[in-house]
């Protein structure tokens, strides 16, 4: 099934690129990114909702009605609404998580943003985080969005992963 998986990934990327075209043109990239991530998380956390959206026996109109209610609850934008209804119409709602991830990666690539995963021995202060991000931005020449986690196996310092590059300033 690797061929099928590749095809689904390609489909997710097509939706992500199309959505990126729209939100960049409208200047709503960050807002839609947050909305889509929240909706994808909601679907990801609910087995019932995932099964409902994936079930071919459930009428599209029923799925659309549920999606409309959920968008209303999230106070979602017209852009999110349109995307989700297209996904339901084309039986692609099951790819929501993949589309959300591909969309975030597409936005980072287009907007010159690097995603940094920082693992440290202890919580970094706000000042330390700011300085680290500044240094990484100088190194990469891109704007850096960092996510932080702790690793108790580290004695001191931090490890940073940006794409396939690892900067290791840790002590084990």
């Amino acid at each position: 099934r690797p061929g099928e998986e590749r095809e689904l990934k390609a489909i997710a990327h097509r939706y992500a690129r199309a959505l990126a075209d729209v939100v960049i043109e409208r200047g709503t990239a960050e807002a839609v990114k947050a909305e889509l991530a929240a909706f994808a998380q909601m679907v990801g956390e609910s087995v019932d909702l995932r099964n409902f959206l994936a079930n071919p026996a459930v009428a599209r109109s029923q799925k659309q009605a549920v999606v409309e209610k959920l968008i209303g609850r999230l106070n979602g934008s017209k852009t999110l609404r349109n995307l989700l209804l297209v996904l339901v119409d084309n039986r692609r709602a099951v790819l929501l998580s993949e589309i959300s991830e591909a969309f975030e990666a597409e936005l980072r690539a287009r907007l010159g943003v690097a995603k940094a995963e920082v693992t440290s021995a202890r919580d970094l202060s706000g000042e330390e985080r700011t300085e680290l991000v500044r240094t990484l931005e100088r190194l990469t020449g891109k704007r850096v969005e960092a996510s932080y986690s702790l690793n108790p196996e580290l004695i001191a310092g931090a490890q940073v992963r940006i794409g396939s590059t690892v900067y290791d300033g840790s002590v084990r």
Side-chain angles (χ1 to χ4, degrees):
R1 301 184 65 112
E4 184 181 341
E5 193 174 308
R6 251 194 321 278
E7 185 181 335
L8 293 176
K9 216 173 206 146
I11 291 167
H13 281 279
R14 280 199 297 275
Y15 280 102
R17 281 193 300 275
L19 181 59
D21 289 343
V22 170
V23 299
I24 288 172
E25 183 181 308
R26 293 183 182 164
T28 57
E30 287 304 313
V32 172
K33 179 174 87 169
E35 288 178 351
L36 181 56
F39 197 90
Q41 182 180 357
M42 184 174 35
V43 172
E45 290 172 354
S46 171
V47 174
D48 290 341
L49 182 55
R50 257 194 334 274
N51 290 341
F52 174 81
L53 290 173
N55 188 340
V58 176
R60 282 185 191 153
S61 58
Q62 287 179 284
K63 291 178 184 179
Q64 289 169 336
V66 167
V67 165
E68 292 273 13
K69 276 192 183 126
L70 294 173
I71 291 168
R73 228 185 262 165
L74 282 177
N75 208 6
S77 66
K78 192 173 186 173
T79 304
L80 178 69
R81 177 188 175 277
N82 291 345
L83 170 72
L84 295 173
L85 293 179
V86 165
L87 292 177
V88 166
D89 282 348
N90 295 323
R91 294 189 169 100
R92 300 294 189 204
V94 294
L95 293 176
L96 197 56
S97 175
E98 290 84 352
I99 292 168
S100 180
E101 286 175 27
F103 175 63
E104 287 185 26
E106 183 72 20
L107 284 182
R108 280 194 301 274
R110 290 193 194 189
L111 301 175
V113 176
K115 183 179 178 183
E117 297 167 12
V118 179
T119 306
S120 57
R122 60 172 177 77
D123 274 327
L124 301 178
S125 69
E127 204 173 286
E128 289 169 321
R129 288 180 180 205
T130 302
E131 185 56 37
L132 179 60
V133 167
R134 267 197 215 116
T135 302
L136 294 171
E137 287 176 341
R138 280 194 305 272
L139 272 172
T140 62
K142 295 182 175 186
R143 191 167 63 92
V144 170
E145 288 180 358
S147 60
Y148 300 89
S149 63
L150 295 177
N151 181 347
E153 292 178 15
L154 300 178
I155 296 167
Q159 294 173 330
V160 179
R161 176 184 299 278
I162 299 176
S164 60
T165 306
V166 176
Y167 301 93
D168 192 345
S170 65
V171 178
R172 285 187 181 267

